[in-house]
Amino acid sequence: MIWDLHVHFSNFEGRTPHEKMANAVKFADRMAIERFMLYLGFPPHPEDPTPEELTKINNQVLEALQHWHHRAFGFVYLNPNHLEFSLKEFDRCVRDGPMVGVKLWIARKCNTPELDPIVERAASVNAVIFQHTWVKVTGNRPGECTPSEFAELAARHPDIPIICGHTGGDWEHGIRAVRAHKNVSIGIAGSDPTNGFVETAVRELGPQRIIYGSDAGGRSFASQLAKVQGANISDEAKKLILGENLKRMLAPILKRKGFEA
Amino acid sequence: MIIDTNVYVSRWPFRRLPGDEIPELLAKLRSHGVSQAWAGSFDGVLHEDVAAVNERLAESCRTLGQGLLIPFGTVNPMLPDWQEDLRRCQENLKMPGIRLHPSYHGYTLDDQRFFDLLRQAVEKKMVVQLALNMEDERTQHSLARVSEVDTAPILRLLPKVPGLRLVIQNRRRKPSGKLLGRLSYHGEVYFDFAMLEGVGGIARFIEEVPGDRLLFGSHYPLFYFESALLKVKESELSKAQRDAIFNGNARLLLEP
Ligand SMILES: [Zn+2]
């Protein structure tokens, strides 16, 4: 059973969300991926989206989910620079809609207090929280937070599970930054399949805190699955990372919504 | 059966890797049906004593390679008397080709010495592998940062080095679009897909370049070997296309 934490519309052919989904599912089938989490709308993705852009983007995801709720779940894209709107958008798409998680990207540094109400609102209905992180030796984008900045947010909410997206890209750095924060799981998507990544993560965090995702279609499913399937770890650990950890994290909200897991 | 054209031995300078000991490397390759692997040396990226790097590489392949590892030597045309390294690679160490790391050795492809090196490789009938990257620029060590090699000058060089057999490895972005097609149509230029990304990347790639120019390359052990293997699975390919990528193209390249 493989569940993928991190899929976008990019690189999947099609003019409509439905057509793109059909292509995404075709590739998911080839790679034995049962379910995937979908977020952000059609590329290009605005870094600091306006409320109008957020509505449009999230509507594309909602449309995609209509016929594919047995294969995909949606995460709502929010922007803490438009906090009041984002909370309403959360209610529309998650509390009162079919989405099950929150995607936060690079609009605003994630250690700022504007994130707190979003995290709390999400936790109130058990929505899964995903925050992008990277630490680039070439320099981060202005609102792009590092795993250490992410760790500040996680430390303010020690009882709320939260996912460190990309493990900072530089995973040797990222694993270290979140290690002490037991509420943090890492997403392993969207970086090169550097040998040793998942072995190191298992050693430092244990297999329960690691979640497979691809960042397809910008990335291939292949290179990202290889991080787990090629890792020198137990089969039990691979199962956790490839799907069981995410399924466990989603279980309360899926139950709340009456979705079949 | 697979011919993996992009494997390294010895130590990556910044991290120990699962598979950086040859017995472990061979066990992984064999478990996935690799029957031949073209091996460069990680030492060749930063060491200056290239002659010793190449001797160790040849020795390791001969004594530990179980007939599976084919050594591809390092030549750094910025070093004095690099011609002697090339001569030793061919005459003494019986290597069928060399692997170049221009970004780490500090030259661009419009450098006269690179041109001279290509010409001499052709005279010696050696394959030239060109590593455009070793890892993502964003995750490099802060004191060892290099950019992707710019392949644009190659198009001008190709007509001047007839007979050149060139393999472009670890391409991420460059050459892009048009140049990619022109390179593959104007000379005997091959590509691997170790760093090719995007869903169904291989199927998309062979819309740009002829299918007989694509070689299986894993970049193992710096990358998980399974990445390249799963990329072949992810793209919808005919059996003939798959066979060509897995081994046919590489075999023809090495034994023309
Ligand atoms: Zn992403």
Side-chain angles (χ1 to χ4, degrees):
Chain A
M1 183 203 76
I2 305 175
W3 283 25
D4 190 317
L5 170 67
H6 195 149
V7 171
H8 309 301
F9 284 122
S10 334
N11 272 344
F12 293 112
E13 281 173 29
R15 291 155 305 168
T16 62
H18 183 73
E19 284 177 12
K20 284 182 182 291
M21 273 302 284
N23 274 312
V25 167
K26 188 185 79 183
F27 280 106
D29 284 342
R30 285 187 78 81
M31 305 313 282
I33 292 161
E34 223 175 79
R35 299 263 177 131
F36 55 87
M37 309 303 121
L38 180 70
Y39 31 98
L40 303 183
F42 285 12
H45 310 301
E47 291 183 11
D48 186 10
T50 62
E52 293 71 33
E53 285 172 321
L54 287 173
T55 305
K56 187 176 156 206
I57 287 165
N58 291 322
N59 282 345
Q60 286 169 343
V61 173
L62 287 168
E63 195 183 329
L65 296 175
Q66 273 173 9
H67 302 285
W68 297 99
H69 47 83
H70 55 299
R71 297 302 299 273
F73 296 120
F75 281 27
V76 65
Y77 181 29
L78 301 179
N79 180 352
N81 292 329
H82 302 288
L83 181 56
E84 280 316 307
F85 175 82
S86 286
L87 293 172
K88 277 192 214 124
E89 184 70 350
F90 175 86
D91 289 347
R92 177 177 81 98
C93 297
V94 181
R95 192 193 67 189
D96 309 326
M99 293 201 193
V100 298
V102 174
K103 154 82 171 190
L104 292 160
W105 196 30
I106 58 176
R108 187 183 191 89
K109 287 276 191 188
C110 72
N111 55 353
T112 56
E114 285 72 10
L115 275 276
D116 293 333
I118 294 175
V119 167
E120 283 154 17
R121 181 75 60 100
S124 72
V125 296
N126 307 108
V128 169
I129 303 159
F130 177 97
Q131 169 67 59
H132 166 104
T133 72
W134 254 87
V135 53
K136 298 171 179 163
V137 69
T138 50
N140 278 22
R141 303 288 301 155
E144 186 172 35
C145 65
T146 65
S148 299
E149 288 159 347
F150 169 88
E152 294 174 34
L153 175 68
R156 292 205 298 270
H157 306 278
D159 299 322
I160 300 178
I162 177 166
I163 299 172
C164 177
H166 305 292
T167 321
D170 179 345
W171 46 268
E172 284 167 318
H173 188 111
I175 289 169
R176 208 165 250 285
V178 302
R179 184 167 54 191
H181 304 278
K182 306 292 183 207
N183 54 326
V184 173
S185 295
I186 57 167
I188 63 169
S191 58
D192 280 354
T194 311
N195 195 3
F197 177 177
V198 168
E199 289 91 329
T200 306
V202 168
R203 186 191 76 208
E204 293 298 331
L205 308 175
Q208 277 87 2
R209 290 174 61 188
I210 308 167
I211 299 177
Y212 158 75
S214 60
D215 218 344
R219 290 272 176 179
S220 61
F221 289 110
S223 62
Q224 309 300 305
L225 282 169
K227 292 174 180 173
V228 188
Q229 293 178 339
N232 191 14
I233 54 174
S234 70
D235 287 346
E236 197 43 51
K238 287 182 187 179
K239 275 189 205 155
L240 289 168
I241 297 167
L242 287 173
E244 286 175 14
N245 288 337
L246 179 56
K247 196 171 181 179
R248 190 183 63 241
M249 212 173 195
L250 282 165
I253 193 165
L254 296 185
K255 191 174 169 209
R256 185 187 278 266
K257 290 183 179 298
F259 287 158
E260 218 174 291
Chain B
M1 200 188 62
I2 296 173
I3 298 176
D4 188 343
T5 62
N6 184 355
V7 159
Y8 281 86
V9 301
S10 194
R11 296 283 181 267
W12 177 237
F14 306 105
R15 181 184 306 123
R16 288 300 303 270
L17 302 163
D20 68 8
E21 296 280 6
I22 288 177
E24 199 187 348
L25 175 125
L26 287 176
K28 171 70 89 176
L29 295 176
R30 281 196 192 289
S31 75
H32 290 294
V34 175
S35 56
Q36 186 181 96
W38 302 0
S41 173
F42 282 134
D43 296 347
V45 176
L46 293 177
H47 290 213
E48 262 194 9
D49 188 356
V50 165
V53 168
N54 289 333
E55 276 184 29
R56 286 197 304 272
L57 172 64
E59 174 74 6
S60 303
C61 291
R62 191 170 59 247
T63 58
L64 300 168
Q66 298 173 13
L68 191 148
L69 296 179
I70 310 288
F72 275 64
T74 298
V75 176
N76 178 352
M78 298 297 105
L79 291 174
D81 201 25
W82 56 264
Q83 293 87 347
E84 175 63 9
D85 292 315
L86 186 66
R87 189 194 67 75
R88 290 185 195 177
C89 282
Q90 191 204 30
E91 291 178 23
N92 302 358
L93 306 174
K94 312 293 180 206
M95 294 172 172
I98 52 174
R99 189 173 294 173
L100 307 179
H101 299 93
S103 51
Y104 287 91
H105 294 165
Y107 61 96
T108 53
L109 303 190
D110 50 13
D111 194 290
Q112 179 66 32
R113 288 163 287 190
F114 172 67
F115 177 63
D116 294 340
L117 171 54
L118 292 184
R119 275 217 302 225
Q120 292 203 19
V122 170
E123 274 168 33
K124 294 180 188 305
K125 298 189 162 48
M126 297 178 89
V127 172
V128 178
Q129 295 188 312
L130 193 62
L132 302 193
N133 292 285
M134 290 300 285
E135 58 177 338
D136 188 333
E137 271 178 59
R138 299 171 297 177
T139 61
Q140 290 171 346
H141 192 287
S142 60
L143 300 178
R145 293 176 50 190
V146 298
S147 295
E148 178 158 350
V149 175
D150 181 4
T151 46
I154 294 178
L155 200 59
R156 290 192 299 278
L157 297 180
L158 284 177
K160 298 181 200 158
V161 276
L164 174 67
R165 288 174 292 153
L166 182 68
V167 181
I168 293 181
Q169 297 183 306
N170 296 345
R171 163 186 178 265
R172 296 181 83 88
R173 303 186 305 274
K174 302 170 190 169
S176 55
K178 262 189 198 156
L179 183 58
L180 194 65
R182 283 165 74 196
L183 277 175
S184 56
Y185 286 102
H186 285 79
E188 205 177 329
V189 182
Y190 298 79
F191 299 87
D192 79 0
F193 50 86
M195 292 194 181
L196 184 68
E197 278 296 351
V199 75
I202 292 179
R204 244 196 291 256
F205 197 71
I206 55 183
E207 290 169 9
E208 305 270 351
V209 303
D212 61 353
R213 295 299 170 80
L214 197 57
L215 306 178
F216 185 95
S218 67
H219 202 38
Y220 180 71
L222 191 44
F223 278 11
Y224 286 106
F225 176 85
E226 289 77 359
S227 172
L229 198 60
L230 289 166
K231 282 178 190 173
V232 179
K233 179 179 172 186
E234 185 170 298
S235 277
E236 203 172 333
L237 302 167
S238 67
K239 185 179 182 307
Q241 284 174 319
R242 256 200 328 272
D243 288 347
I245 290 168
F246 273 143
N247 56 61
N249 295 340
R251 190 178 307 110
L252 284 174
L253 167 59
L254 212 53
E255 301 158 10

